[in-house]
Amino acid sequence: MPKSPAWSLALLLALSLTQPARSAEPAADLEQKQRSLETADNEAVREHIRNFAGRGATGDFSIPAVDPLEAEQRFVTPDDVTVKLALAEPDVRQPVCLNFDERGRMWVVQYLQYPFPAGLKVVKYDEHLRAVFDKVPPAPPNHDRGADKVTIHEDTDGDGVFDKQKTFVDGLNIVTSALPGRGGVWVMNPPYLLFYPDKDQDDVPDGDPEVHLEGFGLADTHAVANSLTWGPDGWLYGAQGSTCWATVTLPRNPSHPAVHFKGQGIWRYHPEKNLFEVFAEGGGNTFAVEFDAQGRVYSGHNGGNTRGFHYVQGGYYSKAWGKHGPLTNPHAYGYFSQMGHAAAERFSHTLVKYESDALPARYQGRLIAPVPLHNYVAVSKMSPDGSTWKTADELKVIQTDDVWFRPVDIKVGPDGCVYIADWCDTRLTHVDPRDTWDRARGRIWRLQPNEYPHQTPFDLRKLSTAELIKTLESPNKLRRQLAQRMIFEHGDSSVAASLIEKLPKLTGQLALEYLWAIHGLKQYDDQAAQIALGHADPYVRVWGVRLLTPEQAETFAAKLYQLAEEETDVEVCSQLACTAKRIPGVVGWETAVRLAARDDLAGDPHLPLLTWWAIEAHAGDSSLDVGPIAKQLQTTKIGGEIVLPRLAQRLAAEPTEPHLLELAELLRQTDVADLRSKMLTAVDTAFAGRKIDVLPPKLREAIVASASSDSPAQLALLVRAGQKEAEAGAIAIVANEKAKLAERIKLAELLGEVGSPAAQESLLRVATSSPAAALRVAAIGGLRQFDSPEIAAALVGRYGQEDATVQAAIIDLTAGRAASAKYLIAAIEQEKIPRSAVAVDLVENLKLHGDEALNERIAKLWGATRATPAELAQQLEQTATILKTGKGDAVHGAALFKKTCATCHKLHGDGASIGPDLTGYERKNLDYMLLSIVDPSAAIREEYTNFRVLLVDGRVLSGFVREQDDKTVTLQNAENPALVIPRDEIEAGPLAVDKSLMPDRLLSEMTATQIRDLFAYLQSDAAP
């Protein structure tokens, strides 16, 4: 019988922990062995599941696919639109991306190789549960041939049916996007961005593809680089999914520095200048790039309660920090979330903003987003939210009961209709290891007016520059975008003079189109910039700022300062902040500081952080005098709330002597007492989890002078700096029942962080006697630093007298060390602590201490925590049979859910938030639900991956990674609040645990009736 991952890991660590030479083994080797063992063992389980899947025991795969015309009849739409088939199998199969060219033809990527690249083998899964392959795949034409292809489809008679098909290139291997332009076709083929030259445009590549970019990750093929799109600025934009990291290099520009980013975001590349940059970092599993008519950038999101993200240049956005890593800028100190939205189901990876005239007026300006897990397409209204946006669903424009309908990409065509790529498969769950994909089908649907007008063929290649300029008046956004590309590629630059002359007199969309055309003709000179920066239309001003070169910024410094002080449009202010971050030297700094001084911008969702990011970008410039900033901003809202505390934190985060002296001067120049207190708190945050090794006398003086003697932040900093008087004061406050509870909690945690030996006795006394449970939990957390079995004995002895939160903290502490774990195990053996009180992850941690006698006792209490392959397969088959042979009662199922599942999961608004909220999941898909419940470790969502850390003092800790940077890792679990761990105290980790916190054999104690009842509730539309 193969060992479970946890058993193997326990054996490995037991051997390493009990041998004197343990410290000689590098932590990296330890991690590699752990991952290799876990991968091998998990693969045994997954192989058994794959074999089982072929027997057809589960539910949804028994639902046959219907032919395209029948599927068309099953769509439900509002009365003012309808859905028609534009293309279907065998001409298209598993389409993942569609785009249109300047002749109105549709280019489709058929993702037939997914999910595993041809010619590669998974040798292990890394510490973030991402596949590590045996090699980097070579670029075409010397590649391992796969099944992917790029095809071209044409509607020759204008009736809406694409009746002419051809293949541009096939045999590709994990291709996500294809986009014509610049004399050929751009193909996203991770790890490469390829360019297939086709100068004669005969749809046959002129030769082998050219590699323009390389280094995009391939570790998770549902999250690779994707969605190539031309921006109005002439750059080629793309998206990066959530899990794959990238270190992008430019073979055609070897001097260009490598750009490293850890998944999630929007990037861009300039083919002529050979430049690459991350446009904005973070987001969901980013799988779309959508430009609206004003040039704003959006992408979808694979989470609930949102339709997507609005990206601004240089912005930082939320991520799942554990698996996806920290932001590339450790001093961002904040991030933006997705656009605000009412509660919504998962998910809409892709979206478009409808800005054409073919559909009725009520669709104009709306987001249209596929929701593939739930087989519908949503329409959402957009409303301004300061300088960004919020959305609200208005209707489902396409619905069907056909579970094979899986809309995965969406574009507006040159006819103004909406085209939807239908994956056409019953499954989308990429982490399910079974190869049950149906690769025989695929459809392209068109959402259109009820009467589809006959389409006249067009070819923008044949138009003169003047005719292309006339096309910019089209109400169809795609036609305008295609015309802009033609202007960029072969426009007559002499036309630009007349456009510049007309620009001041124009308003609305045409004014912006003229500005983009001027730029596309390479004529955005100082005359054009002066007009744009002072234009009456705010979007022309936005792009006037954005298109400035650094040299032009110097020329127009006075105008930028004026805009920063006086501009009333918040989107212009947003771009000013974004551009100020990019402009080197005094112009960027002064523009940002002027924005930060404006109280009228403080309530905007984006602008305060944008101004901080702009100021932070210049904080390391030694040529700038940043000292006066305290005097300039201390009485302003953005300065006092956002900029100055973060600047203090940034200086402390890199505690070189020059930085600490600069911090001392910043504190000295700040006159506002409350602000000084905030700055000290921010400095303390910079040192979270660690001591201050060096505190220059000037900074010590500034800290003492910056707050009253009873300031918690001041006291905390002095404790971190090793001042004995401060340490004694902190201990006294923790013990003082009359002191503020919040202050006592913070100082109890602090004393534990710095490992103050003098605090041990006081912390234990508080942990066992304080009437405030929250303080007892904090004191127990502080005691984790001390290797004292007496602490464990005292806490375990009080277990039965404590409430649930304190009990959980006691278990967490005692599970951390082998010596203290013996007291926990003894109490469980004596039935003083219930076995069920120890969570799965802590049971696994107990096995890692390397104590053979302890492991024998653990085995007797819990047995194997991971089911064997045979058990999993048997339970899958038995449960499927039970569910097929009877109906359940959702009311009874709700009670079972509350007892069994609600401690971690929510459904229909009830339950806890430790695990995913199940409401928006694909609960109707029985096949998916069965695997998720019977083998929860087969598909762990990245934001719910548990991580384990082995510390140099022998402790084993686990939890979700809430934050991490180059200095600390913050873990949080259900038993304790966030724990900040210095990286220099970590021997190995954080290592992702390929074992769900949800236990195996969840259904084994249930009767057949109870199983049916539970599933009836799990698959219900609402709470009974």
Side-chain angles (χ1 to χ4, degrees):
M1 179 185 300
K3 301 178 182 69
S4 73
W7 195 96
S8 302
L9 179 57
L11 175 62
L12 170 64
L13 286 179
L15 290 172
S16 62
L17 288 168
T18 54
Q19 297 299 319
R22 167 190 160 198
S23 59
E25 182 173 27
D29 292 346
L30 187 69
E31 295 179 23
Q32 183 175 4
K33 290 179 181 179
Q34 172 182 338
R35 301 313 314 168
S36 298
L37 285 167
E38 289 189 358
T39 298
D41 293 331
N42 287 337
E43 185 56 33
V45 174
R46 286 170 166 78
E47 181 61 30
H48 210 109
I49 295 173
R50 279 195 287 268
N51 294 337
F52 168 75
R55 300 204 296 270
T58 52
D60 286 87
F61 290 104
S62 63
I63 301 174
V66 297
D67 68 62
L69 293 180
E70 182 180 344
E72 180 182 289
Q73 294 300 313
R74 290 169 68 170
F75 285 121
V76 177
T77 64
D79 292 340
D80 54 359
V81 290
T82 190
V83 176
K84 292 294 181 182
L85 182 70
L87 190 65
E89 68 271 4
D91 296 320
V92 62
R93 294 183 294 133
Q94 295 209 317
V96 73
C97 173
L98 61 89
N99 280 304
F100 291 91
D101 68 13
E102 62 273 20
R103 296 158 59 184
R105 302 182 307 169
M106 182 166 57
W107 291 67
V108 178
V109 172
Q110 303 187 41
Y111 204 34
L112 297 165
Q113 186 59 47
Y114 178 79
F116 294 110
L120 302 186
K121 294 181 180 179
V122 178
V123 296
K124 68 172 185 176
Y125 289 90
D126 71 7
E127 67 273 21
H128 300 284
L129 302 184
R130 303 171 309 165
V132 177
F133 296 107
D134 59 342
K135 64 179 181 179
V136 175
N142 303 310
H143 64 302
D144 297 299
R145 285 184 63 84
D148 295 342
K149 56 184 177 179
V150 177
T151 52
I152 311 169
H153 308 273
E154 187 174 1
D155 175 8
T156 61
D157 56 9
D159 66 350
V161 176
F162 288 77
D163 53 306
K164 182 179 179 181
Q165 336 293 336
K166 65 173 68 172
T167 297
F168 179 75
V169 61
D170 61 7
L172 296 176
N173 195 5
I174 304 299
V175 164
T176 59
S177 185
L179 183 69
R182 303 288 214 277
V185 179
W186 299 84
V187 174
M188 194 68 244
N189 186 174
Y192 308 104
L193 173 65
L194 305 174
F195 175 68
Y196 284 86
D198 184 18
K199 290 185 178 180
D200 57 7
Q201 294 187 295
D202 63 352
D203 302 325
V204 177
D206 297 339
D208 292 340
E210 303 165 2
V211 176
H212 278 245
L213 301 175
E214 60 184 25
F216 290 99
L218 196 58
D220 186 347
T221 55
H222 91 291
V224 286
N226 62 85
S227 302
L228 299 175
T229 308
W230 292 112
D233 51 9
W235 288 65
L236 180 62
Y237 285 72
Q240 174 61 56
S242 61
T243 310
C244 293
W245 294 0
T247 300
V248 177
T249 58
L250 288 71
R252 297 163 61 85
N253 185 6
S255 63
H256 192 293
V259 179
H260 179 71
F261 60 107
K262 296 183 176 181
Q264 294 171 283
I266 304 293
W267 53 266
R268 66 177 189 166
Y269 170 64
H270 200 294
E272 288 76 25
K273 297 179 181 179
N274 277 301
L275 299 175
F276 176 87
E277 64 184 33
V278 177
F279 177 81
E281 183 184 359
N285 189 11
T286 317
F287 225 92
V289 179
E290 168 70 356
F291 284 94
D292 71 5
Q294 287 72 44
R296 306 182 190 94
V297 184
Y298 309 90
S299 188
H301 182 47
N302 66 332
N305 299 345
T306 183
R307 287 292 169 231
F309 286 81
H310 165 220
Y311 287 98
V312 296
Q313 189 175 28
Y316 300 107
Y317 293 79
S318 58
K319 303 172 69 175
W321 312 109
K323 189 169 185 179
H324 305 147
L327 294 165
T328 53
N329 181 3
H331 308 301
Y333 303 145
Y335 50 84
F336 298 148
S337 297
Q338 62 269 19
M339 291 183 288
H341 193 91
E345 295 173 312
R346 299 174 50 87
F347 60 82
S348 47
H349 269 301
T350 62
L351 50 79
V352 291
K353 187 177 180 183
Y354 186 76
E355 294 171 298
S356 190
D357 63 344
L359 298 185
R362 68 167 173 157
Y363 300 96
Q364 184 67 226
R366 268 52 175 180
L367 284 185
I368 305 180
V371 184
L373 280 181
H374 301 283
N375 319 108
Y376 69 85
V377 177
V379 173
S380 304
K381 180 181 180 180
M382 299 188 68
S383 303
D385 185 14
S387 62
T388 184
W389 297 84
K390 57 186 176 182
T391 62
D393 285 355
E394 291 186 318
L395 69 149
K396 296 177 180 177
V397 71
I398 299 176
Q399 299 180 73
T400 182
D401 60 0
D402 179 7
V403 296
W404 288 73
F405 176 59
R406 300 294 194 176
V408 294
D409 194 21
I410 185 169
K411 298 287 167 53
V412 179
D415 56 3
C417 298
V418 176
Y419 287 80
I420 298 153
D422 179 2
W423 183 251
C424 200
D425 199 343
T426 58
R427 67 170 290 189
L428 281 177
T429 309
H430 58 90
V431 286
D432 182 341
R434 299 169 294 175
D435 187 3
T436 52
W437 302 96
D438 185 294
R439 297 182 175 89
R441 294 169 179 82
R443 286 102 192 243
I444 308 293
W445 304 100
R446 182 175 57 254
L447 180 67
Q448 63 176 55
N450 292 327
E451 297 297 327
Y452 181 74
H454 185 273
Q455 299 298 306
T456 302
F458 69 94
D459 189 345
L460 296 182
R461 299 175 304 170
K462 298 178 180 179
L463 300 187
S464 67
T465 303
E467 290 170 323
L468 290 170
I469 296 297
K470 184 66 176 176
T471 304
L472 299 180
E473 300 176 15
S474 170
N476 183 301
K477 182 176 68 177
L478 178 63
R479 295 260 186 159
R480 300 196 304 268
Q481 290 173 333
L482 292 170
Q484 290 283 10
R485 179 163 68 80
M486 294 296 99
I487 291 169
F488 192 101
E489 291 180 7
H490 57 74
D492 180 357
S493 61
S494 67
V495 174
S498 67
L499 300 180
I500 294 173
E501 182 181 354
K502 295 175 183 176
L503 182 59
K505 306 169 187 176
L506 294 174
T507 59
Q509 188 64 40
L510 189 57
L512 184 55
E513 297 290 346
Y514 270 36
L515 178 63
W516 286 335
I518 291 165
H519 177 262
L521 293 168
K522 322 301 188 289
Q523 298 300 310
Y524 187 64
D525 56 16
D526 287 354
Q527 180 189 2
Q530 184 175 7
I531 294 170
L533 293 174
H535 201 277
D537 189 280
Y539 301 113
V540 174
R541 297 199 299 278
V542 166
W543 278 91
V545 172
R546 182 159 159 186
L547 294 174
L548 288 176
T549 64
E551 294 75 22
Q552 286 177 314
E554 291 280 349
T555 302
F556 292 102
K559 182 62 177 177
L560 291 174
Y561 298 161
Q562 180 190 2
L563 288 171
E565 292 173 348
E566 301 175 3
E567 175 61 59
T568 58
D569 188 278
V570 288
E571 289 193 76
V572 180
C573 293
S574 173
Q575 186 59 54
L576 280 165
C578 296
T579 298
K581 181 183 177 184
R582 301 170 58 84
I583 300 173
V586 68
V587 178
W589 171 262
E590 288 292 343
T591 301
V593 171
R594 282 168 165 78
L595 285 167
R598 290 179 54 178
D599 286 352
D600 60 314
L601 304 179
D604 188 88
H606 277 187
L607 282 166
L609 271 178
L610 284 177
T611 57
W612 157 244
W613 293 333
I615 287 170
E616 190 279 327
H618 298 280
D621 188 342
S622 59
S623 68
L624 297 174
D625 182 10
V626 301
I629 193 173
K631 297 292 187 185
Q632 290 173 277
L633 298 181
Q634 63 179 335
T635 59
T636 67
K637 292 180 180 178
I638 294 177
E641 294 293 329
I642 301 295
V643 173
L644 292 176
R646 283 169 171 77
L647 183 56
Q649 182 177 348
R650 188 207 187 286
L651 294 171
E654 295 179 351
T656 62
E657 185 170 359
H659 279 175
L660 295 181
L661 293 177
E662 191 173 355
L663 173 60
E665 182 65 13
L666 191 71
L667 290 168
R668 190 186 68 79
Q669 292 201 22
T670 302
D671 302 320
V672 180
D674 287 347
L675 176 56
R676 288 199 306 267
S677 180
K678 290 177 184 174
M679 292 166 71
L680 290 180
T681 299
V683 172
D684 185 52
T685 300
F687 287 104
R690 55 200 176 105
K691 299 177 181 179
I692 301 176
D693 296 325
V694 178
L695 194 66
K698 285 187 177 181
L699 179 55
R700 185 187 298 271
E701 293 168 7
I703 290 172
V704 172
S706 292
S708 59
S709 59
D710 61 349
S711 165
Q714 180 197 70
L715 185 62
L717 288 170
L718 296 176
V719 169
R720 292 189 192 281
Q723 190 182 79
K724 294 300 180 184
E725 297 87 349
E727 184 178 285
I731 294 171
I733 292 173
V734 171
N736 185 359
E737 292 290 345
K738 296 182 180 180
K740 294 178 181 178
L741 179 60
E743 187 175 344
R744 297 175 73 196
I745 289 172
K746 178 176 175 60
L747 291 175
E749 294 169 347
L750 170 67
L751 291 167
E753 285 181 13
V754 300
S756 167
Q760 179 176 329
E761 182 179 344
S762 180
L763 287 174
L764 183 58
R765 188 181 308 112
V766 169
T768 55
S769 64
S770 173
L775 180 58
R776 296 203 302 280
V777 169
I780 292 169
L783 289 166
R784 281 182 295 200
Q785 290 279 1
F786 304 109
D787 187 5
S788 170
E790 291 76 15
I791 292 174
L795 292 175
V796 168
R798 287 191 53 84
Y799 182 89
Q801 305 169 46
E802 299 291 357
D803 66 13
T805 58
V806 180
Q807 288 177 341
I810 290 172
I811 290 174
D812 190 61
L813 178 144
T814 52
R817 301 177 190 270
S820 58
K822 293 176 182 178
Y823 290 92
L824 172 64
I825 296 301
I828 295 172
E829 290 170 338
Q830 297 163 18
E831 298 185 353
K832 295 179 180 178
I833 296 178
R835 186 182 59 176
S836 60
V838 184
V840 174
D841 62 318
L842 294 183
V843 175
E844 298 301 320
N845 287 1
L846 287 168
K847 299 176 184 179
L848 304 183
H849 293 305
D851 187 311
E852 185 175 342
L854 186 65
N855 284 347
E856 290 178 359
R857 296 165 71 184
I858 293 168
K860 290 179 181 178
L861 288 170
W862 284 282
T865 52
R866 174 80 157 143
T868 67
E871 288 176 318
L872 290 169
Q874 182 182 28
Q875 191 168 87
L876 274 168
E877 190 166 17
Q878 287 178 345
T879 307
T881 301
I882 288 169
L883 294 173
K884 287 179 179 179
T885 55
K887 296 290 185 181
D889 184 326
V891 174
H892 293 160
L896 279 168
F897 178 87
K898 185 174 183 179
K899 178 182 177 181
T900 309
C901 313
T903 52
C904 291
H905 296 283
K906 278 187 177 180
L907 180 58
H908 303 315
D910 293 327
S913 299
I914 297 171
D917 185 335
L918 303 179
T919 309
Y921 276 74
E922 194 182 8
R923 293 176 291 109
K924 299 290 187 181
N925 187 331
L926 182 58
D927 182 75
Y928 169 75
M929 290 295 290
L930 270 175
L931 183 67
S932 299
I933 294 172
V934 173
D935 185 18
S937 298
I940 307 172
R941 279 196 56 77
E942 48 261 31
E943 62 264 44
Y944 297 103
T945 300
N946 199 40
F947 287 81
R948 182 170 289 125
V949 173
L950 173 65
L951 301 187
V952 293
D953 64 6
R955 281 182 293 159
V956 181
L957 305 176
S958 62
F960 301 129
V961 174
R962 292 309 184 203
E963 294 183 33
Q964 60 174 314
D965 55 32
D966 58 340
K967 295 182 177 63
T968 62
V969 175
T970 302
L971 285 183
Q972 186 171 26
N973 58 27
E975 290 77 27
N976 270 298
L979 174 64
V980 181
I981 309 169
R983 285 194 181 271
D984 59 10
E985 294 181 10
I986 297 174
E987 179 169 331
L991 305 174
V993 180
D994 198 3
K995 175 73 180 73
S996 173
L997 296 182
M998 180 175 167
D1000 292 349
R1001 309 182 184 90
L1002 186 67
L1003 303 177
S1004 61
E1005 302 297 322
M1006 293 187 186
T1007 67
T1009 299
Q1010 288 175 322
I1011 289 173
R1012 294 189 190 104
D1013 291 346
L1014 178 62
F1015 272 81
Y1017 177 64
L1018 288 172
Q1019 297 188 300
S1020 63
D1021 293 324

